Amino acid sequence: MAKVLEDIKGRLQTPFTNAPFTDFSKEENKRAQEEAIAQVRSELGQTYPLIIGGKKIIGEKTFASVNPSQPDQVIGHFTSATVEQANEAVKVAAETFESWKHVPAEERASYLFAAADLMRQRRFYFNAWMIFEVGKSWVEADGDTAEAIDFLEYYAREMLRLAGDQPVTPLPGEENKLVYIPLGVGAVIPPWNFPNAIMVGMTSASFVAGNTVVLKPASTSPAIAYQFMRLLEEVGLPAGVVNFLTGSGSVVGDTLVDNPSVRYISFTGSRDVGLRIYERASKTPKGQRWLKRTILEMGGKDGIVVDETADLDAAATAIVASAFGFQGQKCSAGSRAIVVEQVYDKVLEKVVEKTKTLTMGDVTQPTTYMGPVVDENAMKKILEYIELGKQEGRLVTGGKHQGPGYFIEPTIFADVAPEARISLEEIFGPVLAFIKAKDFDEALDIANNTEYGLTGSLFSNDEQRLERASEEFHVGNLYFNRKCTGAMVGGHPFGGFNMSGTDSKAGGPDYLLLFTQAKSISKKK
Ligand code: NDP
């Protein structure tokens, strides 16, 4: 323990800073990424077990995770866990909680610091898994790994802060304190779109706070989660603290959510699954001694507003990056551009021009900007929305599928009505709706007309309008004169309003509170 404390003291000498993004124009970085891609390519197609209490179990039934750029290439075979295995994982996590909850916060944090260090060393390797498994470009994959490192580093420090003395008002004749204790077993259910960052963030926040975890990764990105499990094993995290359970959301997801020994569910994903979890978790079956907590981060339909005072080139660049980065598959993606009449045609023209320069194709190559969408279901759903868009707007670029992978061209519909379905519903693909507003007032109304409230941007040089937007643009993450994607851990605590979820503010100072409960202890002197 002395060594742990010494290491932590050294770490805390410098404040938290974000992991820098890799500069791939440097030859050594480019080469390192190419080598990691070759390495991962040589590891494709293996069979992976569940990990329950440190035991590796390969089940009878498996499913394949495939490369969306090349669907006949299997990334890995994973066990479809049974209901019994899901319940066994919860049981083991509950047993492990009895010892893990007594491990001092410093020691828990030290596992995160060690994992952050190891992930820094394996950065290109983690990037490569995402390039293959979910079709990220180099830059997108690298941003994802950087965020995962940031979460580890940030939550470790946050736990140390929470474990320290908390301010309570002194009362005469009493010694008072407030301590944060863990909740119990958490079901951690991340999405595939930030398969490293969000999965690592939700899992590490859980166990650094003293909880034990059953991690059920998304079925389209289990290989990356498995790499994280390997890393946790290597840094010596005790068996049973994080249990790895692959399988379909509808089978094992429901089982985990319903299990009375689960104390909380940390979920990031679609609105519909989030609502299902919210409802099921509210039940209190006989023998369950608590109200389950739900931490739910859900979808978005995020808008970028541009007024007539804005720098139109900067706005156009941001609209393109927000709409088409990672093929528009971000909860924060700017899938609606709401532009005032006066500059509408100009902005549309600039955006279309920039969009036409985007490269799409082989993401194992460094210069490719866009890859495929994640799977066949996603592709079909997006293509259906594109057909709908042809009725609801004017197709100005894109609109087609390019095979054999799940590639969809960056697509823009102009003159979309604010109430059109492609204006209001989350498509989760490279489809951008351009909406014309009479003036700034109307633009702001349109920006607020969806059921979501995750991110939004305003491009304007009018200070009064920025101030008004600060109050009235109802989103969890509001940006001025910059894109609406790319939240940074620490700098932009992330989470949305309304149907975007419970506003958990991942990567912010309030996040770990969601994974703890506060106990007030008072002693008469
Ligand atoms: P899904 O809701 O389809 O899946 C998310 C996770 O839930 C997966 O692990 C999935 O497993 C699991 N799941 C599915 N059904 C159930 C169930 N009945 N009970 C419990 N778990 C279940 O979302 P996607 O993975 O497709 O992710 C995209 C969505 O995530 C978008 O809507 C996006 O906006 C949102 N998102 C929100 C963020 C935010 O911070 N607000 C950040 C990132 C994404 P399986 O894969 O096996 O089906």
Side-chain angles (χ1 to χ4, degrees):
M1 191 64 191
K3 164 97 176 59
V4 167
L5 293 177
E6 194 55 35
D7 286 352
I8 285 176
K9 221 168 119 197
R11 269 249 186 198
L12 298 185
Q13 300 279 311
T14 48
F16 168 80
T17 49
N18 298 107
F21 298 129
T22 305
D23 178 356
F24 288 113
S25 68
K26 290 203 171 125
E27 194 47 41
E28 70 263 30
N29 291 337
K30 183 166 169 275
R31 202 167 333 111
Q33 189 59 72
E34 281 164 355
E35 281 166 15
I37 287 173
Q39 174 65 35
V40 169
R41 201 190 295 279
S42 74
E43 294 177 29
L44 296 180
Q46 297 176 21
T47 299
Y48 295 88
L50 309 175
I51 308 177
I52 300 176
K55 276 202 217 108
K56 306 216 161 100
I57 306 152
I58 296 188
E60 280 167 22
K61 216 172 130 216
T62 60
F63 65 96
S65 166
V66 301
N67 180 350
S69 301
Q70 206 183 314
D72 58 353
Q73 184 176 55
V74 173
I75 301 299
H77 298 276
F78 290 84
T79 291
S80 300
T82 60
V83 166
E84 292 71 31
Q85 285 165 326
N87 288 329
E88 174 64 15
V90 173
K91 186 165 161 270
V92 168
E95 284 160 10
T96 312
F97 178 65
E98 293 310 312
S99 53
W100 181 246
K101 68 182 178 188
H102 298 299
V103 171
E106 291 79 4
E107 196 178 321
R108 299 191 316 250
S110 72
Y111 292 112
L112 273 68
F113 286 133
D117 289 344
L118 202 49
M119 198 176 285
R120 280 188 190 95
Q121 286 171 30
R122 290 199 190 148
R123 180 151 180 171
F124 298 109
Y125 182 73
F126 272 88
N127 293 351
W129 277 105
M130 283 185 275
I131 289 167
F132 281 106
E133 194 170 37
V134 296
K136 289 214 168 194
S137 67
W138 285 28
V139 168
E140 291 289 344
D142 188 67
D144 197 319
T145 306
E147 193 177 356
I149 295 167
D150 284 350
F151 279 137
L152 289 164
E153 189 71 45
Y154 184 84
Y155 293 144
R157 289 161 184 260
E158 277 298 294
M159 191 61 235
L160 296 173
R161 179 177 69 79
L162 285 188
D165 285 343
Q166 301 301 318
V168 281
T169 305
L171 293 175
E174 287 183 0
E175 259 172 45
N176 295 329
K177 64 179 178 179
L178 184 79
V179 293
Y180 290 105
I181 65 167
L183 294 168
V185 176
V188 171
I189 309 178
W192 51 265
N193 71 329
F194 282 87
N196 196 12
I198 295 182
M199 179 272 304
V200 165
M202 292 161 72
T203 307
S204 60
S206 288
F207 74 80
V208 80
N211 306 293
T212 52
V213 173
V214 179
L215 166 62
K216 194 222 93 57
S219 297
T220 32
S221 61
I224 299 151
Y226 191 84
Q227 292 305 325
F228 182 57
M229 291 302 295
R230 264 186 62 202
L231 195 140
L232 292 180
E233 202 176 28
E234 282 175 59
V235 301
L237 188 75
V241 174
V242 179
N243 301 281
F244 179 73
L245 192 85
T246 45
S248 101
S250 50
V251 178
V252 297
D254 281 349
T255 306
L256 292 177
V257 171
D258 295 346
N259 188 306
S261 297
V262 165
R263 175 66 178 81
Y264 71 95
I265 297 117
S266 174
F267 165 84
T268 304
S270 62
R271 169 191 176 280
D272 290 355
V273 175
L275 292 183
R276 181 185 175 91
I277 292 174
Y278 187 59
E279 202 177 315
R280 291 179 89 104
S282 69
K283 306 276 188 306
T284 48
K286 209 166 172 353
Q288 181 180 304
R289 297 171 68 180
W290 44 66
L291 304 176
K292 278 181 192 155
R293 193 178 284 183
T294 52
I295 305 158
L296 306 170
E297 289 309 308
M298 293 142 54
K301 186 72 184 179
D302 313 299
I304 298 190
V305 173
V306 185
D307 79 3
E308 70 284 7
T309 70
D311 175 338
L312 303 187
D313 280 313
T317 303
I319 289 171
V320 173
S322 305
F324 302 125
F326 189 37
Q327 297 78 266
Q329 302 172 114
K330 299 182 187 181
C331 51
S332 55
S335 53
R336 23 176 21 215
I338 305 156
V339 185
V340 300
E341 205 167 53
Q342 223 176 313
V343 291
Y344 179 87
D345 289 336
K346 264 195 214 147
V347 176
L348 177 61
E349 190 187 321
K350 284 176 194 290
V351 169
V352 171
E353 201 178 293
K354 286 175 194 288
T355 300
K356 285 186 172 159
T357 67
L358 300 179
T359 51
M360 182 171 80
D362 183 359
V363 281
T364 62
Q365 296 303 312
T367 52
T368 305
Y369 184 81
M370 283 178 69
V373 300
V374 78
D375 65 9
E376 194 176 350
N377 285 342
M379 184 180 75
K380 283 189 182 149
K381 179 180 146 198
I382 296 163
L383 290 173
E384 275 170 28
Y385 271 111
I386 289 176
E387 284 313 304
L388 176 67
K390 290 177 187 165
Q391 293 154 37
E392 291 189 328
R394 177 165 60 91
L395 178 68
V396 281
T397 188
K400 288 198 220 53
H401 161 235
Q402 290 184 13
Y406 307 126
F407 294 90
I408 296 180
E409 294 170 348
T411 301
I412 301 176
F413 288 102
D415 311 340
V416 175
E419 302 297 334
R421 283 182 56 203
I422 62 161
S423 160
L424 298 179
E425 295 175 17
E426 187 183 47
I427 300 172
F428 222 58
V431 182
L432 170 65
F434 251 79
I435 304 160
K436 193 185 285 181
K438 177 163 98 260
D439 53 21
F440 174 70
D441 285 0
E442 191 178 80
L444 198 50
D445 282 347
I446 297 171
N448 284 331
N449 80 341
T450 78
E451 64 179 355
Y452 296 107
L454 190 47
T455 75
S457 293
L458 167 61
F459 277 79
S460 172
N461 280 312
D462 180 326
E463 279 305 319
Q464 277 179 348
R465 287 179 181 174
L466 299 183
E467 242 168 70
R468 229 187 102 198
S470 298
E471 285 187 19
E472 293 176 27
F473 199 153
H474 196 58
V475 291
N477 286 72
L478 178 61
Y479 302 102
F480 293 146
N481 299 319
R482 54 150 284 179
K483 61 181 181 166
C484 63
T485 53
M488 300 296 288
V489 171
H492 311 126
F494 190 82
F497 301 155
N498 296 344
M499 283 296 166
S500 290
T502 50
D503 187 36
S504 323
K505 289 294 181 276
D510 303 332
Y511 192 64
L512 287 193
L513 296 178
L514 302 169
F515 296 84
T516 59
Q517 49 199 339
K519 186 169 184 178
S520 164
I521 301 171
S522 182
K523 181 178 172 199
K524 200 162 169 43
K525 275 194 204 155

